[in-house]
Amino acid sequence: MALKPAELKKLKQTALRIREQIVEVTYTCGGAHIGGAMSQTDIMVALYYKFMKFDPKKPLLPTRDRFILSKGHGGVGHAVILGYLDCFDKKELLDFNKTGSPFGMHLDWLKVKGVDASTGSLGHGLSIGIGMAIAARLQNKKYHTYVVLGDGELHGGPNWEAIMAAAHFKVTNMTTFVDRNKLCIDGPTEEIMGVEPLKDKFEAFGWKAVEIDGHDFEQIVDAVEQSHKETEKPFVIIANTIKGKGIDFMEGLAKWHYAGLDEEMKKQALASLRRMNKNG
Amino acid sequence: MVQTYGKKPTRMGYGDGLLTLGETDPRVVVFDADLAKSTTTDWFAEKFPARFFDAGIAEQNMLGMAAGMSLLGKTPFVSTYGVFVAGRAWDQIRTTICYSKLNVKIGGMHGGVSVGPDGATHQALEEITIMRVLPNMIVLSPCDYHESYKATLAAAQIAGPVYLRFGREAVPIISTPETPFEFGKAALWRDGNDVALLATGHMVYHALEAAEALAGAGVNALVLNVHTIKPLDEEAVLAAVAQCGCAVTCEEHQTTGGFGGAIAELLAKRRPTPLRFIGVQDRFGESGQPDELFEEFGLSAHFIVKAAREVMQAAKK
């Protein structure tokens, strides 16, 4: 089902609001993983606002769809989305990372409503997702599990154990994204430790893999719908994204993996987001 | 002579415990990492195939999958050798399971040098240390087959992560199905007032043997079976030590940071007392016959007797 123009417009507007708020939180908290939070945003907005069965007022409802941000450093972006969904008072986000705040850099499911699993040590999320998906099967529950992986985290062996296991256990009630922003902390993934050819690797491990533009809502929606129809293989969507997406002076630069913003930078970042949204 | 009732490996207490849980607790699912025959989870697998998952030789993913299942209300028991699960998957156990207080139970087999021929690579000698250091983790180290069975059932009732330590070799059964077992409570298995032998796991039997030998020489040794290493039953340990004035810790594990370490931390804080440590002294295991390795590593009863005499002298008894 193609997106209706009004729906597309709404998703774009939501993504803009989320990105603006990520900039605000990064400014107030002194520093956050802003680059990757920007690259993952459109994927997560599509999931939370279009697909996921999730009631922000009942974040622990057993029938809800599950979401795991395996790249736990994207927590700032996740927290902002949950705040916008009214899982908690948005104002609490201004305490992000402050001593005593429920919001640490990497979100803790025991402290932040709406988080389904604490992540932060890379390479754990996909295994957790598989466990959740198999548990759904054992309990005859219909909910779907969504996992977002970073591309740098695919350097690590546990992910490949999990990729093998998902195919082995025929986990089809789960949709996995790779936020392929092509940068890890030290530089381009292909220079630090190459992960390509990624699609071929997933396919060789028995997955169905598609590659999309991770900032094009129509492609995201189309790929997720395709994943729901798959009944034989686990489904991965390799979403080509841009680290720092929407902020001209950050886009494609590894140094914005983690950074703080002063007032002037914040202004420039917000202006850039609005400008790019208008043009795109 | 210490009263015994034949021999059986403690890992079989785990396997039989899981069989019972399979019948009584629908939340229980079991994972293994290609060692199901050795861990004895194949018994569960045969009877409850839909609730058994072999993760292959990929422990990190196994712990992650178990974590995911626990988040959905299942009680996963993950099973493999202690070296592989506690070592290789420590990051998953720490950051995903313990940090989130997930209800995952870890059955770690092949604890101690009594593993025998498999040697250093397969003899877990560090898991007590690296498990007990984790916040929210509970560590159980049962002494024989029956206690292992009871500890396995108890683990299913505890909310949160539990590490259970078992051995490979058939070892003397020194309790009965009726012997009381209470999680978190050390059991006074022999009273005495000259020296406290604080023992865990397989070493409880050897401590009892040492106590018999000491009794022959007119020394009244107390034997405390500390099956729950964390949370430590501090009051029982302090009472035993207060009664005797000196103590020997007995474990088939590195003494550094292990059970002996836990006792030393407690006594340093609350009741400084002359103490000796029986256990592996900062070295790796070796291949060999279990009884010969017990001699090589200084674990047999006569070493405990010697340590008891030394510590009594140090305490001027």
Side-chain angles (χ1 to χ4, degrees), chain A residues 213-243:
Chain A
D213 175 347
H215 298 306
D216 181 327
F217 279 110
E218 285 172 315
Q219 290 190 39
I220 297 170
V221 166
D222 186 56
V224 173
E225 285 176 349
Q226 220 183 311
S227 80
H228 290 167
K229 288 181 199 135
E230 177 62 42
T231 55
E232 290 300 311
K233 295 175 173 183
F235 200 103
V236 64
I237 300 165
I238 300 167
N240 289 307
T241 56
I242 296 167
K243 202 153 180 166

Side-chain angles (χ1 to χ4, degrees), chain B residues 279-303:
Chain B
V280 177
Q281 309 291 336
D282 198 20
R283 58 186 281 208
F284 284 106
E286 281 176 26
S287 290
Q289 290 311 307
D291 52 344
E292 290 168 8
L293 292 171
F294 256 58
E295 288 300 313
E296 169 65 24
F297 284 84
L299 302 170
S300 315
H302 67 91
F303 292 103

Side-chain angles (χ1 to χ4, degrees), chain A residues 66 106 108-110 116-118 121-124 127-128 130-132 134-135 138-139 143 158 161-162 165 169, chain B residues 29 50 53-55 58-62 64-65 67-69 71-74 91-92 95-96 99-102:
Chain A
R66 265 53 173 193
H106 305 86
D108 179 349
W109 85 294
L110 296 170
D116 287 325
S118 310
S121 183
L122 296 175
H124 292 203
S127 301
I128 298 171
I130 294 169
M132 288 179 167
I134 294 176
L138 285 176
Q139 297 166 344
Y143 67 78
E161 295 180 7
F169 292 120
Chain B
V29 292
F53 302 89
D54 203 318
E59 295 76 9
Q60 298 179 74
N61 179 52
M62 173 167 71
M65 290 195 295
M69 283 212 192
L71 281 160
L72 271 298
K74 292 286 170 196
D91 182 34
Q92 280 74 9
T95 307
T96 285
Y99 178 48
S100 287
K101 299 183 187 167
L102 298 186

